[in-house]
């Protein structure tokens, strides 16, 4: 299945029929993607996409609105335009392109917050230390900042934490529709969204299924930022919020347990711990659906996106992406019966197990 987030066949996988010179040019281009990423990050930092309106805008006006030095901004826009992000419509006049529109904060399908996350200082710090992490096996985040990422956000840099959370909400929008399209809720009374964050997936699920009740489980401080629609208005009567540290307990009985992008923040031992709590709480036959990226079992090539995310998890902490076989082993180790994978048109896939009985 095509991964919408894949950046296409890796140039290095295609070098068989090319000359050494074009292979070197491909590697060089791959390396320069760091610069290209920085261009887009600067455009978002300067809010250029929000400041360019429907028509063309003059450089001097854009520079004033962005608080930028005009000659430097011209050079940034030249490089962005070369990538198809904004286009020059005349001497010192620029307009939107489809690429630049996605950077506007209010655009449908905006990726502005995800770009902001890629441009966070800590992101550059940890990626810069990748070789050290590969040498030592130590997550670069812990080496650089002395603590794990969620504690760092809470104790040292709530602003970076807010950027991260906004990016997660933006990213979730890409996958919620396909996940919910694929979930058959016939005969399902209660759905628990385990480590569900602000509850955006649960809200959409409850809107679609008026007879289903929902439970949002996460850390107490995260539940404090739950979507207002879950705590007030018509959905509130069908939804409860349960604070829990799911590494210690999962105190909720439900017909379906959803865990989207939760397993990938932990190592195998930690995952089995959480899934075992789930197995203890689940009524016989209850469904557990883990929603995660899948790495390839065997010699199949991985998508660039899933494999990059796996490296990001290695830089951040104990987490990782996994193959189907690895997920099946986690379920079995936790006393759950593995059922299989449902492929959906999304970078994430549904991996299902059942409580025994
Ligand atoms: C990557 S986010 C995924 C959020 C949500 N499932 C989604 O798809 O939008 C991981 C979530 O796990 C929660 N989490 C991490 N450790 C936890 C713990 N020990 N107990 C409960 N929740 C936890 C975090 O607060 C965060 O909301």
């Amino acid at each position: 299945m095509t991964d919408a987030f894949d950046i296409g066949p890796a140039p290095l996988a295609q070098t068989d029929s090319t000359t050494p010179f074009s292979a070197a040019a491909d590697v060089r281009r791959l390396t320069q993607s760091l610069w290209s990423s920085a261009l887009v990050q600067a455009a978002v930092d300067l809010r250029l996409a929000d400041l360019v309106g429907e028509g063309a805008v003059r450089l001097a006006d854009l520079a004033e609105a962005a608080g930028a030095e005009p000659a430097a901004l011209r050079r940034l826009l030249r490089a962005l335009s070369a990538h198809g992000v904004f286009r020059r419509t005349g001497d010192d006049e620029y307009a939107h392109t489809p690429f630049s529109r996605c950077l506007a904060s209010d655009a449908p399908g905006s990726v502005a917050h995800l770009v902001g996350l890629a441009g966070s200082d800590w992101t550059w710090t940890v990626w810069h230390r990748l070789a050290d992490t590969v040498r030592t096996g130590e997550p670069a985040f812990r080496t650089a900042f002395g603590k794990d990422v969620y504690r760092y956000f809470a104790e040292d840099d709530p602003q970076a934490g807010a950027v991260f959370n906004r990016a997660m909400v933006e990213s979730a929008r890409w996958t919620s529709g396909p996940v919910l399209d694929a979930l058959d809720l016939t005969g399902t009374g209660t759905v628990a969204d385990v480590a569900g964050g602000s509850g955006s997936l649960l809200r959409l699920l409850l809107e679609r299924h008026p007879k289903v009740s929902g439970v949002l489980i996460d850390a107490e401080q995260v539940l404090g930022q739950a979507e207002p629609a879950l705590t007030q208005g018509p959905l509130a009567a069908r939804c409860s919020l349960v604070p829990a540290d799911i590494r210690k307990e999962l105190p909720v009985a439900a017909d379906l347990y959803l865990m989207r992008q939760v397993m990938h923040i932990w190592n195998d031992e930690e995952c089995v711990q959480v899934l075992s709590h789930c197995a203890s709480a689940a009524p016989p036959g209850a469904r557990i659906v883990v929603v995660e990226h899948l790495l390839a079992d065997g010699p199949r090539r991985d998508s660039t996106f899933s494999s990059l995310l796996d490296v990001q998890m290695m830089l951040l902490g104990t987490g990782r992406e996994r193959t189907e076989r690895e997920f099946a082993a986690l379920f079995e180790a936790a006393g759950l019966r593995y059922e299989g994978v449902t492929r959906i048109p999304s970078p994430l896939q549904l991996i299902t197990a059942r409580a025994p009985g």
Side-chain angles (χ1 to χ4, degrees), residues 27-77:
V27 174
R28 189 173 170 180
R29 204 166 19 248
L30 195 61
T31 307
Q32 284 168 351
S33 52
L34 178 82
W35 300 352
S36 304
S37 176
L39 293 177
V40 180
Q41 291 162 26
V44 166
D45 201 341
L46 292 161
R47 298 181 49 252
L48 298 184
D50 288 335
L51 299 173
V52 172
E54 276 315 302
V57 61
R58 288 179 41 238
L59 176 78
D61 296 336
L62 188 57
E64 190 180 341
E69 198 279 317
L73 180 60
R74 181 187 294 117
R75 292 165 76 176
L76 173 65
L77 284 164

Side-chain angles (χ1 to χ4, degrees), residues 296-307:
D297 275 311
R300 239 173 352 110
R301 189 175 72 80
D302 282 295
S303 81
T304 49
F305 185 54
S306 304
S307 53

Side-chain angles (χ1 to χ4, degrees), residues 209-294:
H209 298 279
K211 293 194 175 138
V212 171
S213 302
V215 185
L216 179 65
I217 304 163
D218 209 299
E220 188 144 28
Q221 73 273 15
V222 176
L223 293 183
Q225 295 158 33
E227 297 221 349
L230 294 175
T231 53
Q232 46 199 265
L235 296 186
R238 288 189 284 128
C239 183
S240 49
L241 273 50
V242 174
D245 178 348
I246 59 171
R247 298 269 313 277
K248 297 193 177 131
E249 56 162 1
L250 211 166
V252 171
D255 304 308
L256 168 62
Y257 296 83
L258 278 178
M259 298 189 200
R260 181 174 63 178
Q261 299 228 264
V262 181
M263 293 291 110
H264 85 148
I265 62 181
W266 288 314
N267 66 25
D268 288 357
E269 210 178 20
E270 293 162 328
C271 287
V272 171
Q273 209 176 23
V274 170
L275 290 172
S276 301
H277 294 318
C278 190
S280 307
R287 214 171 3 149
I288 294 90
V289 176
V290 160
V291 184
E292 292 283 356
H293 291 262
L294 274 184

